[in-house]
Amino acid sequence: MYTLDPNVALSLSRYTVTYEKKHHQMVLQVLVDPVKCIINHRDTAQAHVITEAASIQPYAVCLYPEGQVSTND
């Protein structure tokens, strides 16, 4: 699932990284061709379904302290 909301991404994150005895949640950030997205609305969040794998480009790995909620708007 792809979302523009970092809090939704964190709530769905299943990957934990441990570094120096501290746990972090990992979220993968990607660039997507918006023309090739189908937007599904779930509650208040938007989920983006990508119709062609070639339209996704890896961008960054984001690590958040475990349990932290993002304040990015």
Side-chain angles (χ1 to χ4, degrees):
M1 182 170 111
Y2 302 90
T3 179
L4 298 175
D5 186 338
N7 292 313
V8 171
L10 280 171
S11 72
L12 297 171
S13 174
R14 297 182 195 168
Y15 303 103
T16 303
V17 176
T18 303
Y19 178 72
E20 294 184 355
K21 299 182 182 180
K22 295 181 181 178
H23 302 288
H24 298 81
Q25 288 176 272
M26 181 171 59
V27 175
L28 301 176
Q29 187 175 19
V30 297
L31 299 174
V32 178
D33 183 349
V35 175
K36 298 179 181 172
C37 289
I38 299 170
I39 300 174
N40 294 330
H41 295 277
R42 289 185 176 180
D43 299 324
T44 59
Q46 289 183 353
H48 297 257
V49 178
I50 309 305
T51 56
E52 295 180 31
S55 63
I56 303 171
Q57 297 178 12
Y59 182 70
V61 173
C62 304
L63 297 176
Y64 297 89
E66 192 170 47
Q68 175 180 326
V69 175
S70 173
T71 57
N72 296 342
D73 291 327

